[in-house]
Amino acid sequence: MKSNIYRSAAQVTIFSTVEKGLSFLYRIVLSRTIGAEGLGIYQICLTVFAVFLTAASSGVPVTVSRLMAKSTASNDMKGKHSAVTAGIICTLVITVPVAIILFFGRNAFGFLFSDKRCIDIFIILLPGLVLTAIYSVIRGSFWGNKQFLPYSVIELLEDAVMVICGVILCLGAPDPVTGAKFAVIAVLISYVFSFAVSIGWYLTSGGKFANPKQQLKPLIASSAPVTAMRTSASLLNSAVAFLLPALLIAGGASNSEAMSLFGIVAGMAIPILMMPSSAIGSIAVVVAPELSENYYRGNSVAVRKDIEKAVGAAIFIAVMIVPFLFVLGGAISEFLYSSKMCGEIVIYSSFIVLPMCISMMTNTVLNSMNCEKQTMIYFMIGAAATLLCIGALTPLIGVYSYVCGLACSTLISAVLNLRLLKKKCERINILKYILKGTVVVLFACLFGWLLNGILKRFVPPVAQIAVCAPVLLLFTAAAAYLLKLFTFRPLKRLVSKE
C-alpha cells in the first residue's frame, strides 16, 4: 500500500481541487445573484449549522479512521466494523434529539443569529444534520480502509449536486433573503444525495455493521477532544458571525451594510485564502491512516519520514500560494467579485497562508499520534486570541480585525503544534523547510510585485492574471527546487507501476 501513497494523494487532490473549484465558482454565482447581503445571510446560516454538525460528529470520522488503522495493524477485522457501528450510534444519539429541539424550539434560539431573518432559513437544514453526521462516519470508514476513490467521487458529486440545484433555484430569486433560502435548500439536497450514495457504496463494497461494544469506549475517549476542538472552531466562526456585524453596527454601519461587509470578508476573501485547504486536506486524508499504522506498530523511522513528508508538502503548497495571492489577489478579486475591498483583504492577508497550512497539517499529524487533547488546548488559545482581536480592533480597523485574529490564531497553533511534534519525534527536522520556504516566498513576492507593477500599466486585470500567474508560479517553483523544497521523486513514484 505504501508504494501507492503518492498516487492516492494525487487522486484525492485532483478530485478535491475540482470540488473546491466548483464551490468557488458557485460563490461567485451567489455573489452576483443574491448579492453580498444574501451571501452574508447564507454564510451565517451555514456557520451556525456547522456548530451543531461539528458538535455531533466532527471528531468521529477521524477517530473511526484511526481505530480502523489500529485494527488493521493487529489484523482485527471485526474491530473495523465495530468502529463504524459505534460511530453511527454516537452521532445518532446526539443529532436526533438536537434536531427535534431546534425545530420545535426555534423561537428560543433567535439569539444565535445576528439577523432574525436567518432563523426560518436555518430550520431548513435540520434534516441534513442527521444525514450528514451518518455520512461523515461512512467517510471515516473509507479513510480507514484507504478507499480514497469512493470518498473522492462522493465528495465531488455532493458539491456538483449543490451547485446545479443552487444555480437553478437562485437565478430566479426575487430578493437577497429568498436567494439565501434557495441556496440553503440546495445544500440540503446535496446532503440527502451524499448520505444515500455513501450508505449504498459502503454496503455493496463489503462494509458491515457489528456489535459496537468493542470500540464504543475508545471511540468516545478519542473523538471527544477532536469534537471539542472542532466544535470550538465552529462556535468561534458563529461568534464571529454574530460579533463582527454587531460591532460594525455599533460603529455606525446599517444592518445591510454590516451584512455586506461580513459577506465580503467571510464569503469572498476568506475562501480565497483557504485555497490551499483542498490540497492540504487531500494529503492529510492519505497520510493519516499510514501514519497511524506506523505509530501503533512502533516504527519510529517511518513515523519521522511520514511527518517530514506531510509537513514539508504543506510548506511547499503554502510557498506556491502566498506570492500568487500577494501579487494577484487584487486583480483576482476584482475579476471574480468586482470587489476592490476583497482584493485588499486578500493581499494584506496572504502571508497568513504559511502558518495556516502548517497548522492544518500538524493538527492531522498529531491527532494521528493520539495527541487530540493537546491540539484542542492549542486551538482554544488561538481562538481566544481571535476573539480578543475582533473585540479590540473592530472599532479601529473594521472587518480587518477578523484578518488580524485569524493571523494570531494560525500562528499560535502552528508554533505550539511544531513544538509538540518535536517532543514526540525528536529527530524530525522541519525548521529547515520553514526557513527555506520563507526565503522563497520573499524573493517570489518581490519578483511578482515588480513584474505585475510593469504589467498593470499596460494591460487590464484579466491580461495581468493570464501573463503574470504562470510566470510567477514558474519562478516560485524554480526557486523552491533550487533550495530543495521539493524533488521530482514523488512524480516518479506517481507514474511508476509499483
Side-chain angles (χ1 to χ4, degrees):
M1 178 63 71
K2 196 160 185 171
S3 63
N4 292 325
I5 191 168
Y6 294 107
R7 197 171 301 149
S8 298
Q11 170 189 290
V12 176
T13 300
I14 291 170
F15 275 92
S16 182
T17 300
V18 176
E19 175 201 339
K20 298 295 182 184
L22 276 175
S23 296
F24 193 75
L25 292 174
Y26 182 50
R27 283 190 174 272
I28 298 172
V29 173
L30 288 182
S31 71
R32 296 182 183 275
T33 54
I34 67 177
E37 183 180 359
L39 190 59
I41 295 170
Y42 170 74
Q43 189 69 39
I44 288 173
C45 290
L46 289 186
T47 300
V48 175
F49 178 78
V51 173
F52 293 102
L53 179 60
T54 304
S57 64
S58 64
V60 175
V62 67
T63 306
V64 166
S65 171
R66 189 164 64 79
L67 290 175
M68 292 179 73
K70 186 177 181 180
S71 297
T72 299
S74 58
N75 296 316
D76 181 11
M77 295 301 297
K78 184 180 178 181
K80 295 171 70 173
H81 298 143
S82 177
V84 176
T85 310
I88 291 176
I89 289 174
C90 285
T91 58
L92 286 175
V93 166
I94 298 173
T95 55
V96 173
V98 167
I100 293 172
I101 291 170
L102 287 173
F103 181 79
F104 290 103
R106 68 183 76 180
N107 295 328
F109 293 97
F111 66 92
L112 295 173
F113 306 94
S114 57
D115 190 316
K116 301 303 180 185
R117 296 175 294 179
C118 298
I119 299 175
D120 290 335
I121 297 175
F122 168 78
I123 293 298
I124 296 170
L125 284 170
L126 287 181
L129 182 64
V130 179
L131 300 180
T132 305
I134 296 174
Y135 164 58
S136 71
V137 177
I138 303 301
R139 184 174 60 206
S141 75
F142 292 150
W143 298 345
N145 283 323
K146 301 180 184 178
Q147 296 176 339
F148 302 112
L149 181 60
Y151 155 73
S152 302
V153 170
I154 294 172
E155 290 284 297
L156 176 58
L157 291 178
E158 178 188 277
D159 243 46
V161 169
M162 179 188 70
V163 170
I164 293 170
C165 294
V167 170
I168 293 172
L169 291 171
C170 290
L171 283 176
D175 57 73
V177 178
T178 305
K181 179 180 179 180
F182 287 162
V184 164
I185 291 173
V187 173
L188 177 61
I189 294 171
S190 70
Y191 288 163
V192 173
F193 173 84
S194 57
F195 165 77
V197 175
S198 64
I199 289 291
W201 202 320
Y202 175 74
L203 293 174
T204 56
S205 61
K208 298 177 181 178
F209 300 110
N211 190 326
K213 185 177 180 180
Q214 175 185 351
Q215 299 284 24
L216 200 55
K217 186 175 179 179
L219 185 137
I220 293 172
S222 295
S223 65
V226 178
T227 299
M229 184 184 76
R230 296 186 179 180
T231 302
S232 299
S234 293
L235 283 171
L236 175 64
N237 291 333
S238 186
V240 171
F242 181 88
L243 183 62
L244 188 55
L247 290 173
L248 291 170
I249 292 171
S254 68
N255 188 61
S256 292
E257 287 171 342
M259 283 293 100
S260 295
L261 288 170
F262 179 74
I264 289 171
V265 67
M268 298 180 189
I270 298 301
I272 293 178
L273 293 174
M274 295 297 290
M275 282 171 55
S277 64
S278 113
I280 298 290
S282 302
I283 295 170
V285 162
V286 174
V287 168
E290 193 82 25
L291 177 59
S292 289
E293 282 187 35
N294 289 326
Y295 178 74
Y296 286 114
R297 285 180 176 136
N299 191 342
S300 58
V301 174
V303 168
R304 177 178 60 81
K305 289 181 179 179
D306 287 341
I307 293 172
E308 289 184 350
K309 286 177 184 177
V311 179
I315 292 170
F316 173 70
I317 290 167
V319 165
M320 294 300 296
I321 294 294
V322 172
F324 181 82
L325 294 180
F326 176 76
V327 175
L328 295 171
I332 291 170
S333 298
E334 289 196 40
F335 172 68
L336 295 178
Y337 301 118
S338 300
S339 174
K340 185 177 180 180
M341 183 178 185
C342 176
E344 291 175 351
I345 294 172
V346 170
I347 292 170
Y348 295 147
S349 311
S350 57
F351 293 98
I352 298 174
V353 171
L354 180 56
M356 182 179 71
C357 288
I358 294 173
S359 176
M360 287 179 183
M361 186 60 77
T362 52
N363 267 333
T364 298
V365 168
L366 287 168
N367 289 341
S368 299
M369 299 168 68
N370 204 24
C371 295
E372 297 93 345
K373 292 180 181 178
Q374 292 95 323
T375 56
M376 178 189 69
I377 293 170
Y378 298 161
F379 170 81
M380 298 295 253
I381 297 171
T386 299
L387 292 177
L388 284 173
C389 286
I390 292 174
L393 298 178
T394 301
L396 302 175
I397 58 177
V399 292
Y400 289 93
S401 64
Y402 188 11
V403 175
C404 292
L406 186 61
C408 289
S409 175
T410 55
L411 186 60
I412 288 170
S413 177
V415 170
L416 293 177
N417 283 355
L418 288 172
R419 180 172 170 269
L420 180 57
L421 267 181
K422 187 67 177 176
K423 288 184 177 180
K424 295 287 291 184
C425 190
E426 293 182 359
R427 295 185 62 189
I428 61 168
N429 190 1
I430 295 171
L431 183 59
K432 66 177 181 179
Y433 293 108
I434 297 175
L435 293 175
K436 289 179 180 180
T438 302
V439 171
V440 173
V441 164
L442 293 176
F443 274 101
C445 284
L446 177 61
F447 170 80
W449 179 71
L450 293 172
L451 175 62
N452 196 50
I454 296 170
L455 287 174
K456 68 182 180 181
R457 294 182 179 181
F458 305 103
V459 297
V462 177
Q464 278 179 244
I465 299 170
V467 175
C468 191
V471 175
L472 178 58
L473 290 172
L474 284 172
F475 178 89
T476 308
Y481 181 74
L482 289 174
L483 287 183
K484 298 182 180 179
L485 269 178
F486 79 96
T487 68
F488 290 103
R489 185 183 176 191
L491 182 61
K492 294 176 182 178
R493 293 284 298 276
L494 177 64
V495 299
S496 70
K497 295 182 179 180
E498 295 179 11

